[in-house]
Amino acid sequence: MTILVTGFNGKVGIEVAKKLLEKNLSFKSAVRNVEKAKRIYGNDFSFVELDFSKRATFEEALEGVDKIFLMYPPGDKIEFYQFLKMVKGKRIKHVVYLSVKDVQFLPFVHHFKNDKLIKKLNIPYTFIRAGYFMQNLHDFLGEEIKENRRIFVPAGKGKTSFVDTRDLAEAALQAFENPADHSNKSHVITGEKAVDFYEVADLMTSILGVRIEYINPTVKEFKSYMLQKGENEDFVNVVIGIHFPTKLGLAKGVTYDFEKITKSKPTPIERYIEDYKERWLRE
């Protein structure tokens, strides 16, 4: 068994790779720039070039692979359907695809279409439908927290069921190790509770020992500030879109799929903050 891990440079792909490494399973990690990845990670991982906008990279990436951890990549001119057709042609045994919670109600997101394509092509799948990543707090929200001691995002007063990406990786691992139990199934993975960003700010304040505030800007205020900082407008619009369901009160649903799959509780947000607290503390 050799697993291809796509999205290695993202918040979930790297965690999947770490899980597979811990289990001593055979895998290779797909990246756009192999040499850059080697400079960063050394010999800890085996890399192969995969650029979803370049069909010429598909063949080598899939060579010798029988399972895939699949993510839809950022970028333009993505040849995702062509990649899926090659996956089908090579008779890949199992694809674990990272989708999003409530995707069935979100026809405007890529995952809605991709879920249907995978099913249409009769590719054996497990859909990991993820809630809002805890790791967003030290990714695109991290700079504001570290520099200005604030969570600055237009999410309103809505609650969201934050999920640790390490838990998503554990769910993917279970699907790879026990394919018969997870084939052609969808798992909705959330945290153990839903909280709003005011509560998150209070938890961070308590754990970090510095005052963190949740600033609840309007979409207009958020966009104006981010563009003034020099952020790309497309990226800013994506961030707004990610938080729109929370603002509408649609992101608070909690599931128990993770516990059923792993026989363990999801990572509490308090533990996540403790584990990553150095990310937000000024040097």
Side-chain angles (χ1 to χ4, degrees), residues 4-8 30-32 49-58 61-62 68-84 87 97:
L4 178 68
V5 178
T6 72
F8 176 83
V31 293
R32 286 190 175 99
E49 182 185 2
L50 176 61
D51 186 332
F52 282 97
S53 65
K54 297 179 181 178
R55 294 190 200 183
T57 66
F58 295 176
L62 291 171
I68 304 174
F69 176 74
L70 184 60
M71 294 181 59
Y72 188 82
D76 299 321
K77 300 178 181 178
I78 302 300
E79 299 271 4
F80 203 69
Y81 179 55
Q82 296 303 321
F83 182 79
L84 288 177
V87 167
Y97 177 66

Side-chain angles (χ1 to χ4, degrees), residues 121-145:
L121 289 168
N122 290 318
I123 297 170
Y125 69 85
T126 301
F127 294 149
I128 303 294
R129 293 179 169 167
Y132 184 94
F133 299 163
M134 293 179 188
Q135 278 71 7
N136 289 340
L137 289 162
H138 71 249
D139 185 25
F140 59 79
L141 302 181
E143 183 180 348
E144 279 294 317
I145 297 173

Side-chain angles (χ1 to χ4, degrees), residues 14-262:
I14 181 66
E15 297 298 340
V16 172
K18 289 177 182 178
K19 290 283 185 184
L20 299 176
L21 191 63
E22 288 173 8
K23 290 286 188 175
N24 200 30
L25 296 175
S26 175
F27 71 99
K28 54 184 179 179
S29 301
V31 293
R32 286 190 175 99
N33 188 324
V34 171
E35 293 307 313
K36 182 179 178 181
K38 286 180 178 178
R39 287 196 300 271
I40 296 171
Y41 295 99
N43 296 320
D44 291 344
F45 301 96
S46 175
F47 295 105
V48 64
E49 182 185 2
L50 176 61
D51 186 332
F52 282 97
S53 65
K54 297 179 181 178
R55 294 190 200 183
T57 66
F58 295 176
E59 184 72 37
E60 183 179 354
L62 291 171
E63 183 66 32
V65 167
D66 55 5
K67 297 183 179 182
I68 304 174
F69 176 74
L70 184 60
M71 294 181 59
Y72 188 82
D76 299 321
K77 300 178 181 178
I78 302 300
E79 299 271 4
F80 203 69
Y81 179 55
Q82 296 303 321
F83 182 79
L84 288 177
K85 287 205 300 184
M86 188 173 288
V87 167
K88 173 65 176 178
K90 288 186 173 293
R91 300 179 185 275
I92 300 296
K93 294 179 181 177
H94 195 179
V95 169
V96 177
Y97 177 66
L98 183 68
S99 188
V100 297
K101 179 175 171 285
D102 300 322
V103 68
Q104 65 272 30
F105 307 121
L106 304 171
F108 50 87
V109 301
H110 292 295
H111 306 292
F112 182 90
K113 178 179 70 175
N114 294 340
D115 284 13
K116 291 183 178 297
L117 282 176
I118 291 169
K119 289 180 178 179
K120 183 178 179 180
L121 289 168
N122 290 318
I123 297 170
Y125 69 85
T126 301
F127 294 149
I128 303 294
R129 293 179 169 167
Y132 184 94
F133 299 163
M134 293 179 188
Q135 278 71 7
N136 289 340
L137 289 162
H138 71 249
D139 185 25
F140 59 79
L141 302 181
E143 183 180 348
E144 279 294 317
I145 297 173
K146 184 175 182 177
E147 298 302 321
N148 297 318
R149 301 297 190 217
R150 65 181 189 173
I151 301 174
F152 188 77
V153 69
K157 299 178 181 179
K159 293 180 181 289
T160 190
S161 48
F162 288 81
V163 62
D164 195 312
T165 59
R166 295 172 294 185
D167 289 349
L168 298 175
E170 180 62 32
L173 176 66
Q174 293 295 323
F176 285 131
E177 290 192 315
N178 307 288
D181 295 336
H182 301 279
S183 183
N184 297 340
K185 292 183 179 179
S186 300
H187 302 308
V188 181
I189 309 297
T190 72
E192 62 179 355
K193 62 183 178 181
V195 294
D196 61 38
F197 280 94
Y198 291 105
E199 293 172 279
V200 174
D202 287 343
L203 288 171
M204 295 188 78
T205 296
S206 175
I207 294 169
L208 301 181
V210 294
R211 179 61 184 162
I212 305 296
E213 293 184 271
Y214 170 45
I215 307 299
N216 181 13
T218 65
V219 168
K220 183 178 180 180
E221 289 169 340
F222 175 78
K223 189 169 186 177
S224 175
Y225 173 77
M226 298 301 284
L227 293 179
Q228 188 178 14
K229 281 184 62 178
E231 295 288 356
N232 177 275
E233 185 171 5
D234 288 341
F235 168 74
V236 173
N237 288 334
V238 168
V239 174
I240 291 169
I242 288 172
H243 295 90
F244 190 62
T246 297
K247 193 165 188 174
L248 293 179
L250 303 177
K252 60 186 178 182
V254 172
T255 73
Y256 300 95
D257 287 9
F258 181 79
E259 189 171 352
K260 292 174 184 175
I261 295 167
T262 67

